[in-house]
Amino acid sequence: MTQKVSPEYIQTSLAASLTLGFQPGSFHRNAKLKGLNLLLHYEEGCLGKCHFCGLSRSRRQGPREKTFIRVDWPLYSLEDIIQSTKGKDQLHRVCISMITHPKAMEDTFHVIKRLRDETDLCISVLISPTLIHQEDSLIAMKKAGADRVGVAIDAATPQLFDQLRGKGVGGPHQWGHYWKVVHMATSVFGRFYVGIHLIVGLGETEREMVEAIQKGQDMGAHTHLFSFFPEKGSPMEGHPPPSLGQYRRIQLARWIINEGLGSANQMKFNGNGRLIDFGIEIEPLVQIGEPFMTSGCPGRDGRVACNRPYGNERPSGPIRNFPFMPEKEDIEDIKKQLDVFG
Ligand code: SF4
């Protein structure tokens, strides 16, 4: 029996599967998915061992039960996915997550080209820096049809990165190399056509997270923020998610930095590294609501397309990344959660 592996088969996020009509269901509060997330799939899985990830090789369960950033990833043929995108105007962008596997690079080129030729979606690639050693691979992705790339730095400090993704877990990834690839990517795709993923709550202080966001901004990469969620069966299943207060403060700081309204060195922190002053009047910014929406690659309209509904939380719990504009009651809750208004 032939194996269902990439590039002919590819996993989609559960949200993408529902939106493409492969499974019945709709989203809590009628959220609409605008970005399709795809994930390369191989029998051997990802060669990384990242401590927090549902795809990690050190995860205890079998491959069928694997999850990744808190959502199931069902497997479909690329052909079916492409056909199902037709006529779905709500979709603006598609993102190919590479994973760390020897075949990932050539398969990524194949998938980009098919999506470019057969859909009108903008194309992002969430690249695997460990597989990238020179600009040529990035230039080839751009030529094939990708207009943006993301780099999942995930952990905000070199120590946490090493401990959770590198030497600490016997994994192949290196902090310095990841940032080198961010730099390479900005020179190939252009400043702010590159995004970095950072996960809040892996053990960093708020000051450290804000400094990592600023580092990305200085290099020409906006931050796409995630809230740590303990994946069942992953080595970090017992580690708590960040408090809502911590997440809200980092969301606001990220927005201020990425919108160019302020910088990390204008912000003030207490002795525990908690953000206590944003260096700017925040009440009007909170009222806008947008700082608390999902951050990700934009769509054709310039607004965030990769809105990942309920990618970081259970629909029943408080929403961390709003996949739609927060409403008046949401803003009232957010104000309390921020815990900075005397
Ligand atoms: S933010 Fe961009 S790179 Fe990251 S998952 Fe979304 S589309 Fe992909």
Side-chain angles (χ1 to χ4, degrees), residues 93 95-96 123-129 132 138 147-154 165 178-199 212-213 215-226 254 258 295-298 304 306 308:
R93 179 171 287 281
C95 180
I96 307 155
I123 303 169
S124 293
V125 183
L126 183 58
I127 56 179
S128 292
I132 294 172
L138 296 167
D147 69 327
R148 290 182 179 264
V149 293
V151 177
I153 304 274
D154 293 344
R165 313 196 67 189
Y178 266 55
W179 284 102
K180 204 168 129 197
V181 172
V182 173
H183 181 68
M184 261 187 222
T186 56
S187 70
V188 172
F189 285 85
R191 280 177 72 77
F192 302 114
Y193 282 82
V194 177
I196 55 167
H197 287 195
L198 289 170
I199 303 177
I213 294 168
K215 181 178 165 94
Q217 177 75 8
D218 294 344
M219 288 174 78
H222 285 151
T223 292
H224 303 148
L225 214 56
F226 294 75
R254 179 210 72 82
N258 284 173
S295 43
C297 296
V304 172
C306 182
R308 311 185 291 276

Side-chain angles (χ1 to χ4, degrees), residues 127-327:
I127 56 179
S128 292
T130 301
L131 303 177
I132 294 172
H133 302 287
Q134 47 209 6
E135 283 188 4
D136 290 2
S137 335
L138 296 167
I139 293 169
M141 277 182 206
K142 192 177 177 192
K143 277 204 182 123
D147 69 327
R148 290 182 179 264
V149 293
V151 177
I153 304 274
D154 293 344
T157 69
Q159 293 76 16
L160 278 173
F161 187 100
D162 219 33
Q163 183 190 325
L164 301 174
R165 313 196 67 189
K167 282 206 251 13
V169 287
H173 307 317
Q174 288 176 13
W175 166 266
H177 181 69
Y178 266 55
W179 284 102
K180 204 168 129 197
V181 172
V182 173
H183 181 68
M184 261 187 222
T186 56
S187 70
V188 172
F189 285 85
R191 280 177 72 77
F192 302 114
Y193 282 82
V194 177
I196 55 167
H197 287 195
L198 289 170
I199 303 177
V200 176
L202 291 178
E204 78 291 342
T205 64
E206 293 175 34
R207 177 197 285 270
E208 287 167 337
M209 182 52 76
V210 167
E211 285 169 353
I213 294 168
Q214 185 68 52
K215 181 178 165 94
Q217 177 75 8
D218 294 344
M219 288 174 78
H222 285 151
T223 292
H224 303 148
L225 214 56
F226 294 75
S227 179
F228 171 72
F229 186 92
E231 297 288 358
K232 198 157 175 291
S234 80
M236 282 180 78
E237 70 176 354
H239 185 93
S243 70
L244 269 173
Q246 178 181 351
Y247 197 63
R248 294 290 180 234
R249 290 187 291 277
I250 296 297
Q251 281 179 305
L252 187 53
R254 179 210 72 82
W255 198 76
I256 290 169
I257 293 170
N258 284 173
E259 292 292 313
L261 300 174
S263 63
N265 59 20
Q266 293 166 354
M267 299 183 186
K268 293 200 178 69
F269 303 86
N270 71 11
N272 296 323
R274 182 191 145 155
L275 190 44
I276 49 169
D277 183 346
F278 292 79
I280 181 175
E281 176 63 56
I282 60 166
E283 168 87 33
L285 304 182
V286 175
Q287 289 300 342
I288 301 173
E290 202 177 315
F292 309 99
M293 290 175 71
T294 313
S295 43
C297 296
R300 290 185 288 271
D301 54 2
R303 306 187 73 82
V304 172
C306 182
N307 58 344
R308 311 185 291 276
Y310 312 105
N312 277 184
E313 66 276 293
R314 293 195 178 87
S316 56
I319 300 176
R320 299 211 168 215
N321 288 330
F322 281 81
F324 44 72
M325 188 60 88
E327 291 170 16

